[in-house]
Amino acid sequence: QGKAKFFPESINAKLCTHVIYSFAKMNGNKLHPFEWNDDDTDWSKGMYTRFHQQVRSTNPKAKTLLAVGGWNMGSAPFTKMVATKAGREEFCHTSIDFLRRRNFDGLDLDWEYPANRGSPPVDRERFVLLCKDCRLAFEREARETGKNRLLLTAAVGAGVDTINSAYDVPAMSKYLDFINVMTYDLHGQWEKETGHQSALYPRADESEKNKMLTVSYAMNYYHSKGAPKEKLVVGIPTYGRSFQLVNPAQTGPGAAARGGGQAGPRSGGPRYGGE
């Protein structure tokens, strides 16, 4: 609301090497715009077009990617698509046409998460197959057309349990251009105590499990599992999370909490609490 309103024209692409538009959804095994105004209409310029006009005019060297998935889409559409080679190949090949028609330079897979949230354990391997099939399809299209190859990236979880269950790290790293680690939302209003949502290092008084919920631990863990450092991208949130304290006199990280703070006038949403 108000001064917090953000449109494609608000993007400062001079700060970026890559800009990711989030999110697209899926219609069967095919990419599909999430919002009614993403694509152009007979009477209006769509957000995809406005996005690219802003990025290209302010930083022609920046690459643009379209992210598919996100927390709200969950696992079900991905699980259905990756279940067969035909499903994966339909997704990969139709994605090429979708991205080219809308001037994107690549695709970001934001499946949250393989082998989690209703996704069967076998999806851990099928996610690698999806990465492989798309990478090969992108390479083939580049050879046949002479165009620059579409980029392929993924947004991945930062918790150790999720990393272990969802990802064959060395295998997926072979096919992805870079890996966006979601090192944020590590703590929040769903917990009974306050905590930094994206702490770089742990506090001395934290439990051993919570000490692993830090940016440093997650990034080093991915590298130890086989991800090349040059492909790892640290996620940095540009928002904060707030808490309601059980006792207003007891403050700071680790203080007892009972939900999120009151929503502020700009964001207005319960997801992030105050401002």
Side-chain angles (χ1 to χ4, degrees):
Q1 301 295 320
K3 294 180 180 179
K5 190 166 289 187
F6 192 93
F7 287 113
E9 292 76 17
S10 305
I11 299 170
N12 184 356
K14 293 179 181 178
L15 300 173
C16 308
T17 58
H18 301 74
V19 190
I20 302 178
Y21 190 110
S22 304
F23 289 102
K25 59 183 179 180
M26 291 168 61
N27 184 359
N29 296 327
K30 300 179 180 180
L31 288 177
H32 194 76
F34 187 89
E35 299 286 357
W36 68 270
N37 60 348
D38 283 336
D39 268 332
D40 294 341
T41 67
D42 291 338
W43 62 89
S44 65
K45 187 182 295 183
M47 289 292 179
Y48 289 155
T49 295
R50 291 171 59 182
F51 168 79
H52 279 109
Q53 286 180 344
Q54 175 68 9
V55 173
R56 306 289 189 223
S57 65
T58 54
N59 185 0
K61 294 182 179 180
K63 301 295 184 181
T64 63
L65 296 92
L66 179 64
V68 56
W71 179 263
N72 289 335
M73 194 174 98
S75 278
F78 285 107
T79 291
K80 186 175 180 180
M81 179 264 290
V82 300
T84 65
K85 184 171 181 60
R88 297 191 302 271
E89 290 186 343
E90 181 182 19
F91 173 80
C92 297
H93 286 94
T94 57
S95 291
I96 293 173
D97 182 66
F98 188 98
L99 296 167
R100 292 297 192 193
R101 285 178 181 271
R102 293 161 178 83
N103 297 312
F104 285 100
D105 298 308
L107 179 67
D108 181 62
L109 300 171
D110 193 354
W111 180 351
E112 299 184 29
Y113 305 96
N116 288 266
R117 304 182 68 208
S119 167
V122 70
D123 280 353
R124 182 177 186 269
E125 284 69 42
R126 287 174 176 170
F127 178 65
V128 174
L129 294 176
L130 173 64
C131 294
K132 179 180 179 180
D133 289 343
C134 284
R135 178 63 180 258
L136 293 177
F138 291 0
E139 290 178 347
R140 188 180 309 113
E141 188 256 358
R143 289 195 302 270
E144 292 173 352
T145 63
K147 298 178 180 178
N148 291 330
R149 176 179 59 79
L150 291 167
L151 297 171
L152 182 65
T153 67
V156 297
V160 170
D161 290 343
T162 301
I163 296 170
N164 289 338
S165 60
Y167 310 115
D168 182 337
V169 176
M172 73 179 188
S173 297
K174 288 169 54 180
Y175 305 111
L176 296 173
D177 288 292
F178 51 86
I179 302 165
N180 302 306
V181 186
M182 292 184 282
T183 40
Y184 42 82
D185 291 349
L186 302 179
H187 296 288
Q189 60 196 53
W190 54 89
E191 297 176 312
K192 294 183 179 180
E193 64 180 31
T194 64
H196 197 299
Q197 65 137 330
S198 186
L200 180 57
Y201 299 116
R203 306 190 314 271
D205 62 338
E206 288 189 281
S207 67
E208 291 305 311
K209 184 175 183 179
N210 275 352
K211 286 181 179 179
M212 294 188 289
L213 285 172
T214 63
V215 177
S216 176
Y217 194 96
M219 301 308 295
N220 283 308
Y221 192 69
Y222 266 106
H223 180 56
S224 73
K225 296 283 284 187
K229 287 185 177 181
E230 63 270 18
K231 288 191 175 186
L232 289 171
V233 179
V234 179
I236 301 174
T238 56
Y239 59 91
R241 286 189 173 276
S242 63
F243 298 85
Q244 293 185 53
L245 297 173
V246 172
N247 181 351
Q250 295 179 351
T251 63
R258 54 182 180 194
Q262 183 177 354
R266 304 295 185 206
S267 62
R271 175 175 165 86
Y272 305 125
E275 297 172 30

